[in-house]
Amino acid sequence: MHLAYPAVLSALLFCTGLYGVLARRNAILVLMSVELMLNAVNLNLVAFDVWLSRTAEETLHSGQALTLFTIAIAAAEIGIGLAIVLAVHRNRGTADIDKLRDTSERHDPDDPDHDARTAGQSDEAQKAEATA
Amino acid sequence: MTLAISAALLATGPAPGAAAGTHGFLSPTGVEIAFLLVGLVTFGAALVTVTTRQLVHAALWLVVTLGGLAVEYLLLTAEFIAWVQVLIYVGSVVVLLLFGLMLTRAPIGRSPDADSGNRWAALTVAVAAAAALVWVVVDAFRTTWIDLDGPAAGSTEATGASLFQNWVLPFEALSVLLLAALVGAIVLSRKAKADSSSPPMNAQALTESSHAVTESSGSSEQEGAR
């Protein structure tokens, strides 16, 4: 099989996920797009592992081992991400990431108490997202 | 390697983009045709996933995408990865996403504000990235061929042997990470009811973790403001 087939499919899937992450507004749809990007990387890893295990006689199967690790880390990421989304939805009543603007530069003058009340929650969410 | 050299000899003219759709310089094998067809279905389902306005339909089209990727793994002779993909992604991740959609009270019908306002900027970025990536990948691997004959490179025996001979330490570290993620998800999604009813519980919660502290203080402040 030509190596360009899985590589091109993987690139297209990654860019589809990139579009979803940038364009979607619901946080759970953003998580779905992140899953698409991770799956594109997995396809690349598997294809290159199958290629290198013959041509370079690479016997470690590092691509497939890394694919398994990526799948497990993606499962952990989706659990943590959904927990964060549910916590944000419970505290603020929305899962719309365009409305989570507490740490932005522009200050909203209409509800100052709303900012002060939920700043800790969004700080926590962003910190946890950075680590996840 | 001889196959690659013969392919390089047969590829008289460079045909960028030829490997994606039309198969320009060699007659495609049956595996390639199957890969192409399943890849088209997968890519179409991925496009519907990121563009549909019905949130539950997005999750269901994600099932089609992930299942198509599992078939692609099977075509690449990575059978263990394929079944792990079916079990974990189709079996648990999509179910988790559906639970998340229901718990956040996502609308069942079509929701008009599923896409953000910067959709055209996102489309520009994605198309530019796709064009650059496809061009670079096709140009780099134009004469590279995967040898799929012989024993499967990704059979369960080969994967298990390499995983437990060479990758044992990362494997065990990964199990610790999964445990930490489980505990973290429970701590994040737990409702802190006892903290608001009895204020000394906050002092006890201070010793647990930083996540629990910020969550409990935020929720108690919120309930105090009501």
Side-chain angles (χ1 to χ4, degrees):
Chain A
M1 186 195 291
H2 205 296
L3 185 59
Y5 286 95
V8 166
L9 177 64
S10 154
L12 290 178
L13 278 182
F14 186 85
C15 293
T16 310
L18 183 66
Y19 168 77
V21 167
L22 291 178
R24 285 303 204 178
R25 186 175 270 175
N26 194 320
I28 296 180
L29 292 178
V30 172
L31 283 177
M32 285 183 204
S33 306
V34 170
E35 292 299 312
L36 273 183
M37 294 168 82
L38 285 169
N39 271 284
V41 174
N42 284 346
L43 181 63
N44 235 346
L45 285 172
V46 168
F48 278 85
D49 178 81
V50 174
W51 172 48
L52 285 177
S53 67
R54 294 296 166 80
T55 55
E57 293 180 352
E58 191 250 7
T59 55
L60 280 180
H61 282 294
S62 49
Q64 301 204 18
L66 197 55
T67 304
L68 285 176
F69 296 159
T70 312
I71 288 175
I73 289 176
E77 174 256 336
I78 204 78
I80 295 285
L82 278 179
I84 291 170
V85 170
L86 287 185
V88 168
H89 179 265
R90 197 169 62 224
N91 282 325
R92 319 193 52 164
T94 179
D96 192 343
I97 55 175
D98 279 357
K99 291 178 183 167
L100 306 176
R101 293 188 168 274
D102 287 336
T103 56
S104 68
E105 289 274 334
R106 191 166 47 86
H107 186 64
D108 244 355
D110 49 0
D111 50 355
D113 56 341
H114 186 258
D115 280 352
R117 193 178 68 212
T118 52
Q121 182 65 37
S122 70
D123 273 343
E124 172 208 8
Q126 290 198 349
K127 192 167 48 181
E129 273 179 0
T131 56
Chain B
M1 288 305 287
T2 59
L3 191 59
I5 291 170
S6 64
L9 289 178
L10 279 172
T12 55
T22 65
H23 1 274
F25 41 91
L26 270 187
S27 64
T29 61
V31 177
E32 281 177 343
I33 293 174
F35 194 94
L36 193 64
L37 292 178
V38 179
L40 282 179
V41 171
T42 305
F43 182 53
L47 280 182
V48 177
T49 302
V50 296
T51 52
T52 182
R53 293 188 178 277
Q54 311 196 18
L55 305 183
V56 182
H57 285 194
L60 296 180
W61 280 106
L62 190 66
V63 172
V64 178
T65 307
L66 301 175
L69 271 170
V71 177
E72 305 280 42
Y73 292 153
L74 278 181
L75 288 176
L76 283 170
T77 71
E79 55 178 23
F80 185 67
I81 305 287
W83 301 129
V84 166
Q85 168 97 3
V86 169
L87 277 179
I88 292 186
Y89 273 112
V90 184
S92 71
V93 165
V94 175
V95 174
L96 265 181
L97 285 171
L98 282 173
F99 265 110
L101 281 178
M102 289 173 196
L103 287 176
T104 55
R105 296 190 188 87
I108 296 297
R110 81 180 39 235
S111 61
D113 56 347
D115 285 337
S116 145
N118 52 7
R119 188 169 63 232
W120 295 107
L123 190 64
T124 307
V125 169
V127 168
L133 276 177
V134 168
W135 178 52
V136 166
V137 156
V138 168
D139 196 34
F141 302 109
R142 198 169 50 223
T143 59
T144 309
W145 295 79
I146 304 177
D147 189 13
L148 288 178
D149 298 330
S155 66
T156 310
E157 184 184 357
T159 307
S162 76
L163 195 64
F164 287 103
Q165 278 174 4
N166 307 309
W167 302 95
V168 172
L169 196 59
F171 186 80
E172 299 295 335
L174 195 68
S175 62
V176 177
L177 178 119
L178 275 181
L179 178 66
L182 184 69
V183 174
I186 291 173
V187 167
L188 274 179
S189 60
R190 175 184 59 142
K191 286 187 182 178
K193 273 182 184 172
D195 299 343
S196 58
S197 61
S198 61
M201 288 295 285
N202 277 331
Q204 185 183 354
L206 275 176
T207 61
E208 289 183 11
S209 71
S210 61
H211 290 300
V213 169
T214 52
E215 186 193 20
S216 60
S217 62
S219 59
S220 62
E221 280 176 10
Q222 184 191 16
E223 292 190 2
R226 274 177 189 164

